[in-house]
Amino acid sequence: MNRFANSWGSAALCLAIGIALMFGLPGVMDDYTLIEVTIYAVMAILSVSLAFIWGFGGILCFGQAAFFGLGSYTYAIAVVNMGDSTVPFLLAIVVPALFATLLGYVIFYGRLSDVYMGVITLTVTLILFNLINSTAGPEWRIGSAPLGGFNGIPAIPTLNWPGQQDEVLTPKDLFYVTFTCLLMVYVLLRVLIASKIGRVIIAAKENEQRVLLLGYDARAYKLFSFMLGGAIAGLAGCLFANWGAFTSPTIFGLAQSAQIIIWVIVGGLGTLVGPVVGAVAIQWLTSQIGTQQVFNSNLVLGGILVVFVLLVPKGIVPSIGQLLELAWRRMRRPAVSPAPKPSPKPASSAAAVGAALVESPRALTTSEQVQ
């Protein structure tokens, strides 16, 4: 079962399920539900970005929301100034990637430990939150795009077909674009993990000193994975801005950063499908809790995190995989047949003679007389 989970067969199966959902859901869902599913796919992309750098690169980033927010704000500012969304879409990926490269260079080549890395990434997120939150005045604008402070940027122009500014995507088109991005990110990371670069990244996670002794610059590989995670988070931020045509400083907040970590832990660290499951499940649960006034959503999320850390530390998908593997082994185990009863040994001629002598001494005498 483990061999199947790491094989290309499992990747093809996940891709086939994703394609089936992408083309099947619009036929059975109304527009409101389809819009809700779109935000699930956006958060799944964000969850995968952290799952890659944490589960395969060993980099626990507490500030993944920083790249998510940068992508969202970069797209909003660029599209308000440019009009056409093609270049802003690309900038929303490039700018967070460059910021992650700069931040990662300081962290990895400064040889900071994992504890300091978590502190630095969390601090950067809080700095961005407070910086954007304090831009409420009319003088805070980039070009013709006002930053809006804590009110955020409303009425963001959504994606249009490349080169056709008047051809804006419908909510169903945005669903297809978002789902396609999710599948492309999954395929890209799956191929990367199977390549030589991916193997070195995983090896650096397991033992960085040994990778250095083998001649690989582990810091460069870590920086590359960190940059790629930032780019994917920026893509999710761009799609988030398109989903609601709105962005605000709350996406830099601590709650957003904590949610991403919870998604990965609940779904399963060390997998790419698990964080998708975790993000969708938690987002669905959060939306259901938001419809009532009895329970606080943050309190419920905290309880879920404690339960999974204590009882299901490997997450949903790896735990299901272990159960399936156990069932598969029991099915393949041969049935135990009852032990055969020992058959009585044939009596030797001497024993037969002895028995006959005991039973009928006269018969033996007769036999000897015959010989």
Side-chain angles (χ1 to χ4, degrees):
M1 190 61 69
N2 285 332
R3 185 179 300 175
F4 175 75
N6 298 322
S7 67
W8 289 111
S10 66
L13 178 62
C14 293
L15 191 60
I17 294 174
I19 293 175
L21 291 175
M22 183 174 68
F23 289 104
L25 291 180
V28 298
M29 291 183 173
D30 54 14
D31 290 342
Y32 175 79
T33 309
L34 203 61
I35 293 172
E36 194 174 9
V37 173
T38 302
I39 191 60
Y40 294 166
V42 172
M43 296 307 172
I45 296 175
L46 177 59
S47 181
V48 170
S49 71
L50 179 63
F52 171 66
I53 65 172
W54 185 16
F56 296 92
I59 305 168
L60 176 53
C61 176
F62 285 100
Q64 197 70 6
F67 311 119
F68 180 64
L70 278 178
S72 179
Y73 267 88
T74 299
Y75 173 80
I77 294 170
V79 76
V80 169
N81 285 282
M82 296 182 182
D84 187 86
S85 65
T86 305
V87 175
F89 181 83
L90 298 176
L91 286 176
I93 302 173
V94 172
V95 171
L98 293 177
F99 184 75
T101 303
L102 178 62
L103 184 62
Y105 182 83
V106 174
I107 294 174
F108 300 125
Y109 283 86
R111 297 190 181 280
L112 299 179
S113 63
D114 295 340
V115 176
Y116 288 105
M117 179 180 178
V119 173
I120 289 176
T121 52
L122 186 60
T123 304
V124 168
T125 303
L126 293 177
I127 290 174
L128 290 175
F129 173 76
N130 288 291
L131 178 64
I132 299 297
N133 208 29
S134 60
T135 57
E139 68 276 12
W140 292 97
R141 59 174 56 241
I142 299 177
S144 57
L147 297 181
F150 52 83
N151 292 319
I153 303 178
I156 299 173
T158 54
L159 288 172
N160 57 261
W161 294 106
Q164 302 177 4
Q165 187 173 342
D166 297 332
E167 296 291 335
V168 181
L169 299 186
T170 64
K172 183 178 288 187
D173 295 333
L174 182 61
F175 167 80
Y176 285 123
V177 170
T178 305
F179 229 95
T180 302
C181 290
L182 176 60
L183 295 179
M184 289 178 64
V185 166
Y186 173 76
V187 172
L188 169 67
L189 294 181
R190 194 66 191 262
V191 171
L192 178 63
I193 291 169
S195 67
K196 179 181 177 181
I197 297 176
R199 291 196 293 271
V200 175
I201 291 174
I202 297 174
K205 168 198 168 189
E206 300 295 335
N207 193 325
E208 184 174 348
Q209 191 65 30
R210 185 173 297 176
V211 170
L212 288 172
L213 293 175
L214 290 174
Y216 296 100
D217 188 356
R219 297 170 297 179
Y221 285 91
K222 281 192 168 184
L223 181 61
F224 172 74
S225 60
F226 193 63
M227 180 271 296
L228 186 57
I232 296 172
L235 170 65
C238 172
L239 296 172
F240 175 79
N242 278 275
W243 173 76
F246 172 76
T247 188
S248 71
T250 54
I251 59 176
F252 291 106
L254 290 177
Q256 184 65 51
S257 298
Q259 273 193 355
I260 307 172
I261 296 175
I262 294 174
W263 295 340
V264 177
I265 292 176
V266 171
L269 185 63
T271 65
L272 294 178
V273 177
V276 174
V277 175
V280 173
I282 296 297
Q283 279 295 112
W284 176 83
L285 184 62
T286 304
S287 63
Q288 296 299 315
I289 295 174
T291 59
Q292 50 82 42
Q293 301 295 330
V294 179
F295 300 102
N296 183 278
S297 61
N298 291 329
L299 185 62
V300 174
L301 287 179
I304 291 174
L305 177 62
V306 172
V307 168
F308 269 84
V309 168
L310 295 179
L311 302 180
V312 196
K314 292 186 177 181
I316 295 176
V317 171
S319 299
I320 293 176
Q322 284 186 341
L323 292 176
L324 292 177
E325 182 180 1
L326 182 61
W328 177 253
R329 286 181 178 177
R330 288 190 175 181
M331 289 175 60
R332 296 188 62 183
R333 184 181 302 171
V336 179
S337 57
K341 295 181 179 178
S343 57
K345 294 182 179 180
S348 61
S349 57
V353 171
L357 182 59
V358 171
E359 293 177 357
S360 176
R362 186 174 296 178
L364 181 60
T365 305
T366 306
S367 174
E368 289 175 351
Q369 289 175 353
V370 171
Q371 290 179 356

